[in-house]
Amino acid sequence: MTDPEFRRRRRTADVVGILEPNPRPLTTVLVAVVAVLVLTVVGFFLGAVDLGLAKAFNTVHVGALGAFTTAVYHVISPVPAIALTFVVAGIIWWRARDLRPALGFGMTIAITWLPSAVVKEIVHRARPDVALLPHPFPVQPDPSYPSGHTVYITAFVIALVWVVRETRWHRLAQVLGVVAIVVVFLSVSIDAVHFPTDAAASILWALAVSPAARVVWVDWITPRIPFLRPREGAAVPVSPGR
């Protein structure tokens, strides 16, 4: 999309934040593709390079802190995470009275999150050896890199921040979102279900891929779906909570 066309669309509709068109979609997608390739290649060379750090994190998996980090791990496991995404998407639909931002939110998360599971199988990095950990977590059956939990929470935060970008909740969402990402990073590291490098790479993955996921769904796919295409000249609902 050319810059004049981008500005015209931005001026003519006060849109929910996540629906704002990206002025440089091809660059955004290219950055995501390069990031995925680089992070995938890096994964093959990590091995157990940070096993010592994983063991150090795991030493504090005791008492209330250990119970908390384990609870965090379970709360955003795939089934609860999918349920949470549906609930929040439903709230967005209800508040905005428009299905498009709700789908934009959910699909941005999905398109960011699901490919990480494919890379996990390709790289097939083993999880930290439970025999070497002071407080081992039950053995997880899937590979370690990247951390799906960390990809999910980072994509969730990014998508939600976009949804509320034009509202008074934007700053609060940013602050609480950063806290949530840090909590999940520390939780999967303290549980030692992932190496710290798994979680760090997952944050980078979501930061790079989420903008491209939003472009693919909101800018490219949504306008081609008849029931999601806004009527010519119709008002676009503003963000809730102004």
Side-chain angles (χ1 to χ4, degrees):
M1 181 189 303
T2 64
D3 284 346
E5 174 65 11
F6 170 76
R7 288 194 295 268
R8 183 190 68 79
R9 287 182 60 181
R10 187 66 188 92
R11 285 195 306 267
T12 55
D14 188 9
V15 298
V16 176
I18 201 167
L19 300 181
E20 293 182 11
N22 187 314
R24 293 175 176 81
L26 294 180
T27 300
T28 300
V29 172
L30 179 60
V31 167
V33 171
V34 171
V36 167
L37 291 176
V38 169
L39 289 170
T40 300
V41 171
V42 166
F44 287 109
F45 294 95
L46 290 175
V49 65
D50 54 334
L51 177 59
L53 186 57
K55 292 167 66 175
F57 271 114
N58 190 237
T59 59
V60 299
H61 191 275
V62 293
L65 178 59
F68 174 76
T69 59
T70 298
V72 169
Y73 185 77
H74 288 305
V75 163
I76 59 169
S77 293
V79 172
I82 292 170
L84 174 63
T85 303
F86 271 99
V87 169
V88 175
I91 293 171
I92 294 168
W93 185 6
W94 168 61
R95 290 299 307 273
R97 298 184 299 279
D98 186 348
L99 181 59
R100 291 175 302 143
L103 286 177
F105 168 80
M107 293 304 295
T108 294
I109 295 171
I111 297 171
T112 303
W113 185 25
L114 295 179
S116 70
V118 177
V119 170
K120 178 179 288 196
E121 294 298 329
I122 293 172
V123 174
H124 217 79
R125 185 188 192 189
R127 291 183 183 257
D129 188 346
V130 295
L132 303 177
L133 297 174
H135 305 289
F137 198 85
V139 175
Q140 302 299 297
D142 57 327
S144 191
Y145 179 95
S147 162
H149 286 66
T150 314
V151 171
Y152 169 78
I153 195 63
T154 308
F156 181 97
V157 168
I158 292 170
L160 187 61
V161 167
W162 279 333
V163 168
V164 300
R165 182 164 49 192
E166 307 296 338
T167 79
R168 65 180 181 270
W169 304 108
H170 184 235
R171 179 61 63 183
L172 180 62
Q174 287 179 314
V175 172
L176 293 182
V178 170
V179 170
I181 292 169
V182 170
V183 165
V184 172
F185 173 91
L186 292 175
S187 293
V188 300
S189 299
I190 290 171
D191 287 345
V193 288
H194 288 286
F195 291 99
T197 47
D198 296 334
S202 301
I203 294 172
L204 295 176
W205 173 292
L207 288 172
V209 175
S210 292
R214 196 217 64 84
V215 165
V216 168
W217 178 260
V218 175
D219 293 357
W220 292 352
I221 295 178
T222 295
R224 290 169 172 77
I225 301 176
F227 72 90
L228 294 178
R229 189 183 305 136
R231 298 187 305 275
E232 189 66 27
V236 179
V238 299
S239 300
R242 277 185 179 269

